[in-house]
Amino acid sequence: MGTQSAAILLGDASYYGTLAAVRSLGRAGVKVVTVDPSRICHSRYSRYSSQHLTCPAFEESSVWAEWLLRKPGIGPRRAIYATSDAVSFALARYRNELSADFELYQPGLDAIMSILDKGLLMQNAQAIGMETPPTWFPQNSAEAAKIAKDAGGIVLIKPRSQLAQRTKTKGTIVKSREDRVQSIFDSYMKDQSTNSEFAKQCAVTMTPLIQQYFPQATENVYSLSGFRERIGGGVIMRAARKIVQQPRSIGT
């Protein structure tokens, strides 16, 4: 896609990752349009953002997709790329409709759910021989407390998907005391994003999971990421070891 007359839309403009994408594309000469429900967000004020559009909440996937298709004035050639889970889900869910008006480099819904759903992600990791922490999927807080007690030591309670929670909490480390585990598990259940389209389509992800916690992993997080061309299948990979994360013990 050429840079002269093309515009690319980047959502979740308050994310620092989006700001990095705005700067990278802008320096390459690509016209960048930031999109966010808020008028005040980091990326909007970048010198590389040529326009800012205020949109519906990303979690309202169908409403947001309809808004995109009705939005004029972006330019004759336009692309949109996901920089967050919510935008990635919406683009995958309505990929066929949006691809008529937008250039998309977007996997289908099945591929996206294999990442957004930590249960499916774990299954895929195990299928190719990757080790995973002992993980359980309790259905209620009483079951969660029993699992934690039997596991012993320290456990991690976290959303099965970030899109399952309103507050986007990464997780909570807790000693396997039954009352404490039940309280934290119930707080996640109360924070469920039950009105979102994601929740209605992916109900199984609404209940948090429990994992055995390994404190030593906080100092040795290894990340492998990559990009694959749609045509030709060329692959670029990057291996990295994290040196800073926030929150300190379970951050990203």
Side-chain angles (χ1 to χ4, degrees), residues 225-245:
S225 56
F227 181 87
R228 182 169 66 105
E229 292 180 315
R230 180 180 296 162
I231 301 172
V235 175
I236 297 173
M237 301 295 294
R238 184 190 72 167
R241 201 172 296 278
K242 291 183 184 177
I243 58 172
V244 176
Q245 60 177 350

Side-chain angles (χ1 to χ4, degrees), residues 1-3 5-8 77-79 103:
M1 186 174 184
T3 62
S5 58
I8 186 164
R77 301 184 66 219
R78 50 190 183 168
E103 298 283 349

Side-chain angles (χ1 to χ4, degrees), residues 50-68:
S50 62
Q51 185 180 1
H52 181 76
L53 302 175
T54 306
C55 67
F58 300 113
E59 290 75 13
E60 298 175 12
S61 307
S62 60
V63 175
W64 185 70
E66 290 173 7
W67 173 86
L68 273 179

Side-chain angles (χ1 to χ4, degrees), residues 6-10 25 30-34 77-81:
I8 186 164
L9 281 72
L10 296 177
L25 290 164
V30 178
K31 178 183 177 182
V32 178
V33 177
T34 51
R77 301 184 66 219
R78 50 190 183 168
I80 187 164
Y81 192 77

